[in-house]
Amino acid sequence: IAFWACAVGGYIAVFIDPKRNSVQGKMDCNIIKCTNSPFYITDYEEGNEEIREAVNDRNLVIKDWLIYESAYEESMQVEEVDAEETICIQFSSGSTGIPKGAVISHKNLYQSIVDSIELMEITQEDRFLSWQMVTHCYGLVIFHLVPLVSGSSQYFMSTDNYMRQPFLWISYASKYQITRLGTIPFALKLFYESIINSKTNQCWDLQNVKSVIIGAEPISLDVCRNTIEALKKFGLHENVMCPAYGISEATAMVSFVPVNEEMHGVNVNLGVIEIGQKAEILSNDSGGQSYVELGKLMPSLEARIVDEEGYILEDKTIGKIQLKGDIISNGYYQNEDATKAVFLAGGWLDIY
């Protein structure tokens, strides 16, 4: 609700989580200090005292001011906006110092939605279920805005419920015949352990699930495969797991393993990790570090791998990722030094 209020009202939305612990709360206070006297809008009545102090009590609890009268809806007019105008700012955690806020324009957000619908092959018949908060681009873009624009249905369960009873995630997927799920690696492992250790007999129907997006952390191929194997008896398809890669500077997703494609991993010799060197690919039983392949680029993106001097490298050579396209932010909010360091000439973003 707060996001849409900002979007319609011409305000810039900045996302933080009011329920985070004290250490994370201090990170959020750092984010608040980077903005200009923001209002703090929440549906969490208890709130976070440190955050309230940081905004000088300029906080609004949604249930106290939400207006339901249809007369206001009828008279409300949505103004046209410039595609380059900022709609939101996606901040890093700030755990290592001053947080960096990627400035996201209406164009960035729109293109990310359109790209996601195309790459994920979304239809109006799809049903999304998410336990992830919409204060993060993963939850907001993929599990709220994508189904909204595509005309799909969307269902939500709280993060707290998932963490307490992970199996409820799949129970709801079965009950509501969900077609699109998403998770992150540590949560998938938590879910897998919960069903392996469960002594109750479940009767789930998962044959409608088309994809389970997984990303935001390093992905374990073994955990993904073990989870699929454990759920096959409930009708889950073998190639349903879709590893994805995303960053705040690219609005949400950068790449995605298409639906019905098999997951693949690659073992790399970590003794050869210098930029400009050819990666040494090892067999599965030869040690090394295993990485999961992360699929195809978003349709509007270009990518290249370069060395320290910016020269393009050959395939299977270790280097830095650079991205370019309409989903890429134009820079960090009020942080010129950080912007110049990674947002390069020609519209390229230098990631690592």
Side-chain angles (χ1 to χ4, degrees):
I1 293 174
F3 169 76
W4 284 109
C6 290
V8 173
Y11 298 95
I12 297 173
V14 178
F15 310 107
I16 60 175
D17 176 15
K19 297 184 181 180
R20 305 212 298 179
N21 62 39
S22 59
V23 174
Q24 295 167 323
K26 290 179 180 178
M27 299 177 192
D28 289 338
C29 288
N30 288 336
I31 291 174
I32 291 170
K33 291 175 183 177
C34 291
T35 57
N36 299 320
S37 301
F39 279 99
Y40 173 51
I41 305 174
T42 180
D43 60 356
Y44 184 50
E45 193 167 10
E46 295 180 16
N48 181 302
E49 193 61 36
E50 290 180 316
I51 292 177
R52 289 191 177 195
E53 291 179 3
V55 297
N56 296 319
D57 286 328
R58 288 161 58 90
N59 58 289
L60 302 172
V61 179
I62 286 178
K63 73 172 188 178
D64 291 340
W65 57 270
L66 198 58
I67 298 174
Y68 293 94
E69 285 81 355
S70 59
Y72 286 90
E73 297 175 7
E74 293 172 1
S75 63
M76 184 180 68
Q77 294 184 356
V78 179
E79 300 293 333
E80 290 189 9
V81 296
D82 187 321
E84 300 296 338
E85 286 184 13
T86 302
I87 187 170
C88 62
I89 302 173
Q90 300 187 148
F91 275 90
S92 62
S93 65
S95 58
T96 58
I98 299 175
K100 294 181 293 186
V103 176
I104 305 301
S105 68
H106 287 265
K107 179 182 72 175
N108 295 150
L109 190 56
Y110 172 77
Q111 191 62 55
S112 180
I113 296 167
V114 171
D115 280 2
S116 299
I117 291 172
E118 178 182 342
L119 191 57
M120 296 170 64
E121 302 176 14
I122 304 299
T123 70
Q124 288 185 336
E125 287 69 41
D126 276 313
R127 292 168 170 249
F128 287 69
L129 171 64
S130 176
W131 56 266
Q132 295 167 90
M133 294 175 292
V134 292
T135 52
H136 188 277
C137 58
Y138 190 6
L140 176 69
V141 178
I142 306 304
F143 287 94
H144 175 50
L145 298 180
V146 163
L148 184 72
V149 172
S150 64
S152 308
S153 301
Q154 51 185 292
Y155 299 77
F156 296 92
M157 63 179 290
S158 74
T159 303
D160 290 343
N161 280 348
Y162 181 96
M163 293 304 164
R164 284 195 295 264
Q165 301 181 79
F167 65 86
L168 285 177
W169 178 51
I170 290 300
S171 295
Y172 292 145
S174 173
K175 179 179 180 180
Y176 298 107
Q177 296 296 282
I178 298 300
T179 63
R180 305 288 182 166
L181 294 166
T183 188
I184 57 181
F186 98 87
L188 184 67
K189 184 178 180 181
L190 184 67
F191 167 76
Y192 174 70
E193 291 172 348
S194 74
I195 59 173
I196 290 299
N197 297 324
S198 175
K199 297 180 180 180
T200 59
N201 293 321
Q202 304 295 342
C203 188
W204 295 325
D205 177 10
L206 303 177
Q207 61 183 335
N208 290 306
V209 178
K210 297 177 183 177
S211 64
V212 181
I213 305 171
I214 182 166
E217 297 171 352
I219 301 167
S220 167
L221 199 59
D222 288 340
V223 172
C224 291
R225 287 173 173 166
N226 290 342
T227 303
I228 292 172
E229 190 62 34
L231 296 177
K232 273 186 179 180
K233 60 184 177 182
F234 303 111
L236 192 70
H237 304 298
E238 186 171 5
N239 293 329
V240 75
M241 203 71 70
C242 299
Y245 168 55
I247 54 173
S248 296
E249 292 86 346
T251 308
M253 288 202 306
V254 169
S255 66
F256 174 81
V257 173
V259 176
N260 293 325
E261 286 197 10
E262 183 181 356
M263 287 185 299
H264 293 283
V266 58
N267 285 338
V268 179
N269 180 3
L270 291 185
V272 184
I273 55 173
E274 294 294 327
I275 289 180
Q277 290 185 320
K278 282 282 187 178
E280 183 181 347
I281 309 301
L282 304 174
S283 61
N284 291 336
D285 56 356
S286 299
Q289 177 66 48
S290 177
Y291 296 95
V292 175
E293 294 184 6
L294 297 173
K296 297 181 180 180
L297 282 176
M298 299 288 271
S300 67
L301 269 185
E302 297 177 56
R304 63 189 186 187
I305 308 298
V306 302
D307 62 16
E308 296 284 10
E309 304 301 321
Y311 291 104
I312 297 176
L313 297 170
E314 296 179 359
D315 191 23
K316 295 182 180 179
T317 304
I318 297 170
K320 300 193 298 179
I321 304 171
Q322 291 186 349
L323 301 171
K324 179 180 179 180
D326 284 345
I327 65 174
I328 301 298
S329 166
N330 285 327
Y332 295 119
Y333 180 71
Q334 294 189 351
N335 195 331
E336 187 175 348
D337 291 339
T339 297
K340 287 182 177 179
V342 296
F343 291 89
L344 311 178
W348 289 97
L349 169 66
D350 190 18
I351 303 177
Y352 302 117

